[in-house]
Each structure stands twice: as structure tokens, then as C-alpha cells.
Amino acid sequence: MEALEPTSGPAPPTPFFVIDVDILDRFVDRFQRALRAHWPNSILSYSMKTNSLPWLITRMRQHGVWAEVVSDTEYELAQKLGYAEDEIVYNGPLKSRELLRQALGDGSIVNLDAQREVDWSVELAQDHPELEIRVGLRVNWDLAARCQDEHGDGDDGSRFGFNTANGDLDEVISRLREVGVVIAGLHLHRTSRTQSLDVYRAAATVAAELVEEHELSLDWIDIGGGFFGGDDASPSFDDYIAAIRATLDDVVDTEATQLIVEPGGSLIAVPVEFHASVVDVKEIDGRTIVVTDASRTNIDPLFRRQRVLDVRLESASNQTHPEQIISGFTCMEDDRITKLHNRAELEPEDRLVFGKVGAYTMCFQPLFIEYLPAVYARQGDSLSLVRRKWGIDDFLQGNYWNEDDVHARIVGPAESTSQATHHSSAVLTGRR
Ligand SMILES: Cc1ncc(COP(=O)(O)O)c(C=O)c1O
């Protein structure tokens, strides 16, 4: 689908997201330059789950960025949006047998995450001894033991991949080698608390140890995502890749082994804004509640953010207010977005712009009360609509609610008559 013609007139009605194209391009370029400087033989692969807006995926592809996907659905979306199979990194525990076989045959980078995927790879090798099957393995390694206080997965450790300590990884490597499957890659992504360089040094060290222990000759080392990424970010993309390279330099031949990175938030969080308007202002027990047409479901869908969001106000008022509670439109009491202190006094119709909200927002958006807001891409002063606001017809797609059929469900199937009714009844009840 084409974006609508860019317009540079008055701001569109709220609420809507805006992607700043120049900032996005700058971030992508910055990551690409860091890779070129420190590990030229590398792949920048965007974590599609972080924000899978079709316009954005297309922009990434146009920049030569690969797609990192974690399910069959994401894999198919990447294909639908123009990605060739050999520009896709296929991760995650939700692969199907069919797509795993297909992806291995079609040249995708595949990192196995679960025993059943190992079984399917072994089976494929046995079915097709003429093929050389090359797989990566997601490594379940102990981040807490290597980097104190960096553990971002809660107290229970990571649940992904094959564990190094309990023998699972060794067993999988032997099993695959026995049938001639090549261990071509390692995948080391870990979620960490502070995104420090030490986490990436630790991941690279695990890779180096495994390369030596198992005498691996790897096509790729996939370090995952999780990078920090502000405009003046420290560490910078450059710092991360330099640290990874320094850790692996003595152990792998960087001309033969590609470094794969899978950034999500560090590329897309900063370039995106959410624009909202004040709907109402009310005083209750000495508190000032500012009701907006935004919701936490738009910009903090997991209700996790503690910090004050980056908020710009477009208000004509020259009065400030000591404390305004910025609230969402939903009927959840805790749909309170942030508190503003000593900022312009807001009135209905004033606008608020929440910054740095591109990661894990649009893709986590519930269809709660209101549907998906519009999204614009901004270049200079002009805005192009890249997703229209969802309306009732978008919400209704894929539903079946034939009047007679809904009635038949209440009074029993004997009273339902037409073929069409029987068909949609089966759909409703899940019967085949
Ligand atoms: C395997 C994998 N790669 C990449 C990412 C992207 O992480 P981020 O958005 O923090 O860069 C994630 C996020 O959880 C992930 O699980």
C-alpha cells in the first residue's frame, strides 16, 4: 500500500503516532557505520516484534537491514513486505516444522531454540542426506554469574535456548553433528538491566569459550539486541561493536564469521512520538486531573514505566501549574500517564507530544475501547499517512455474526436452517 501524499497543512486530529524519518535514518546509519568500522562482515537485522508497522519494515528493508523474526507469522509478514528468505533471521521457540524445513532450504539464518527444532533438523538431514544443513543454536547462559546486577529476566534466569551448565547444549551439538548437521552459528541474546558493555563482552566471551571447547567454525555469531540507543547514548553503537570485536578477535576469523546484531528498541524508540489532545480538566480533592485522548495502552501498554515520560506541551497558557495528573481516556483508574510538575497549565484542546515511544508500543496495542490510532511519517514539515486510524470495519474483519446463527447458538442447532448458518456456527464454536 502506498502512503498518502505528504501534507504540510494544520496538524491532523489526535491521537496519532509520528515517525521522524530523518531521525530513524540517522539511527540506522549510525548502527551500520559502527558495524562497518568494527566488523564489516556483519548483518544488521531489525527485531520486527519491536514495531512491525509495514511502512517501517519497508524502510528498514530499503536501508539494507535484514528482518529478525520470532514466529511463522512474522516470517510470513517479512516475506509479504518484500524480504527474500536469505535476508531473514528466524529465531524464537514458535517455529513450525514446515517453515523450519523451508527456511533452512531457502537460506534463512535459523537459530534453533527448542528440542523439537533439533528433532526436525535431524529428521531433515536424514530425509535429505544430499543437503548440507547449517543451523545456529540459541545459547542459554548464566548472565547473573558473569555480570552481577545485570540480570534482566527476574530471579529465575532465562528460559530460552539450550543451557550450557546442565549439558543440554553439549548434547544438542553432538546429536546434530552425528547426522551431519553443521553448527554454523551461536545466538547469545540476553535481556539485561543496564545494557552495559559488560553484558556484550560476557555474551562474546561465552561465544569464544564455546568456539574453543567445541572447535566450532562458525558462519555467524548472533549477539542479539538489547542495545542502548539515545542520540548521545553511552555506550554508543560504536562502543558496543568495538567491545564485541575486541573480545572475539583472537578466537574467530572475522572475515569468515559474520556478526549478527538484532536491535529493536535502540533503532525505533527515539524516532517515534505520540500526539494527543486534552479532552477535559477537572479538580478533585485538590488534584488536577487532565483527561486526554491518549492512553497508557498507546504509549506504555505493559504499564511498566516508572519514569516521567518525555512530554512536550503545545499550550497557549503562560501560567504554570504545580502538578497536573495526565490521564488516559479509558475507564481504568490506573490509566494515568504521568504527572507534570510546574509545566504550562493545560486546557481542553491543548496538545501533548510524548517522545521516544516507538518500541513495544504499536505492536502491543490492545483493541481496548478505541482501535489503532493513525501513524504518520514526518519528513521536514510534511506528514504522510502510513496507517489510517482503524475504524469499525477494521475491527469487524474476520468476525462472523450472522443474526440467525447467533440466535441458533442460544436456542440450539435444531432451529438453525441455512447452509451458511451451519458454516458460520461451526466457525463460532470451533467445530469442524
Ligand atoms: C532474540 C531477540 N533479539 C532481539 C531483541 C530486540 O531487543 P531490543 O528491542 O531490546 O533491542 C529481542 C527482544 O526481546 C530478542 O528477544
Side-chain angles (χ1 to χ4, degrees):
M1 290 271 278
E2 293 298 310
L4 294 189
E5 281 302 298
T7 51
S8 46
T14 58
F16 56 89
F17 284 100
V18 173
I19 305 173
D20 190 299
V21 182
D22 293 339
I23 299 178
L24 174 65
D25 290 355
R26 189 165 77 232
F27 275 64
V28 171
D29 179 59
R30 190 178 292 158
F31 220 130
Q32 287 174 324
R33 273 188 291 116
L35 289 167
R36 274 199 301 274
H38 301 289
W39 202 314
N41 182 25
S42 54
I43 297 171
L44 175 59
S45 183
Y46 169 65
S47 159
M48 264 181 53
K49 65 185 158 297
T50 307
N51 185 329
S52 52
L53 185 80
W55 177 92
L56 175 64
I57 304 302
T58 306
R59 188 87 186 168
M60 291 292 187
R61 185 170 53 71
Q62 288 169 348
H63 278 294
V65 177
W66 286 35
E68 186 259 339
V69 306
V70 288
S71 70
D72 288 17
T73 303
E74 280 197 336
Y75 192 101
E76 285 161 21
L77 179 62
Q79 287 177 305
K80 183 100 183 169
L81 295 172
Y83 272 101
E85 289 72 14
D86 61 1
E87 299 165 333
I88 299 177
V89 177
Y90 185 27
N91 288 333
L94 198 60
K95 304 177 189 81
S96 69
R97 175 179 173 278
E98 290 65 34
L99 193 52
L100 177 79
R101 289 170 74 103
Q102 208 177 300
L104 284 171
D106 289 345
S108 303
I109 298 263
V110 180
N111 290 308
L112 307 183
D113 196 291
Q115 281 295 343
R116 64 179 194 155
E117 296 173 4
V118 175
D119 295 342
W120 293 334
S121 306
V122 167
E123 181 194 64
L124 181 64
Q126 287 168 339
D127 290 352
H128 292 280
E130 77 284 5
L131 292 181
E132 187 182 61
I133 297 161
R134 307 179 81 78
V135 300
L137 297 175
R138 170 108 186 223
V139 181
N140 182 298
W141 55 280
D142 192 347
L143 172 61
R146 291 175 188 260
C147 298
Q148 273 187 346
D149 301 332
E150 283 292 356
H151 205 200
D153 310 311
D155 290 330
D156 294 337
S158 170
R159 64 191 175 86
F160 297 108
F162 304 99
N163 189 259
T164 49
N166 70 4
D168 276 359
L169 184 73
D170 295 347
E171 197 185 305
V172 164
I173 292 175
S174 316
R175 230 186 119 203
L176 289 167
R177 279 179 162 169
E178 252 166 52
V179 293
V181 174
V182 178
I183 312 300
L186 296 174
H187 182 213
L188 299 126
H189 173 88
R190 286 300 300 269
T191 304
S192 70
R193 217 171 45 76
T194 69
Q195 305 158 308
S196 76
L197 288 179
D198 283 345
V199 173
Y200 293 84
R201 285 195 193 101
T205 304
V206 172
E209 288 168 5
L210 290 170
V211 164
E212 291 194 319
E213 184 186 338
H214 293 279
E215 295 178 358
L216 299 170
S217 168
L218 297 177
D219 294 346
W220 70 86
I221 292 177
D222 185 339
I223 217 82
F227 305 94
F228 189 58
D231 246 331
D232 308 311
S234 176
S236 64
F237 298 152
D238 220 55
D239 296 334
Y240 283 118
I241 308 303
I244 294 164
R245 167 78 193 244
T247 311
L248 282 160
D249 222 12
D250 292 340
V251 185
V252 298
D253 172 359
T254 55
E255 300 210 347
T257 304
Q258 291 190 294
L259 176 69
I260 300 179
V261 289
E262 305 170 345
S266 57
L267 293 181
I268 192 55
V270 174
V272 179
E273 301 168 344
F274 191 77
H275 291 235
S277 298
V278 175
V279 171
D280 191 21
V281 180
K282 48 174 90 168
E283 298 293 328
I284 300 175
D285 291 339
R287 284 169 292 123
T288 303
I289 314 278
V290 176
V291 183
T292 69
D293 59 4
S295 163
R296 267 180 99 167
T297 58
N298 298 126
I299 53 181
D300 179 21
L302 300 178
F303 282 59
R304 268 193 195 154
R305 286 186 195 230
Q306 305 287 328
R307 65 195 163 88
V308 174
L309 297 153
D310 170 340
V311 195
R312 193 171 83 231
L313 305 182
E314 293 174 4
S315 163
S317 173
N318 47 19
Q319 303 283 322
T320 58
H321 195 290
E323 182 177 280
Q324 300 173 94
I325 300 169
I326 309 300
S327 313
F329 65 80
T330 72
C331 54
M332 290 185 291
E333 275 293 6
D334 56 350
D335 190 359
R336 296 166 192 227
I337 298 168
T338 193
K339 283 183 181 168
L340 296 181
H341 294 107
N342 302 316
R343 302 284 301 271
E345 190 167 78
L346 290 163
E347 291 173 6
E349 315 272 307
D350 284 346
R351 290 204 172 201
L352 303 92
V353 180
F354 301 95
K356 304 185 181 135
V357 292
Y360 306 101
T361 47
M362 290 186 215
C363 57
F364 262 122
Q365 180 93 63
L367 298 172
F368 182 58
I369 306 179
E370 286 291 322
Y371 309 136
L372 306 184
V375 185
Y376 293 87
R378 180 174 61 215
Q379 224 157 1
D381 286 340
S382 71
L383 293 178
S384 304
L385 184 65
V386 298
R387 181 179 76 194
R388 63 171 164 69
K389 176 182 179 345
W390 266 35
I392 300 297
D393 288 341
D394 301 296
F395 178 72
L396 292 178
Q397 64 186 317
N399 284 269
Y400 305 94
W401 71 96
N402 175 305
E403 285 290 339
D404 295 342
D405 186 66
V406 175
H407 182 64
R409 290 256 296 156
I410 297 166
V411 299
E415 294 191 25
S416 89
T417 47
S418 74
Q419 273 298 100
T421 304
H422 282 294
H423 169 73
S424 50
S425 174
V427 172
L428 278 172
T429 57
R431 277 186 279 116
R432 284 173 197 276

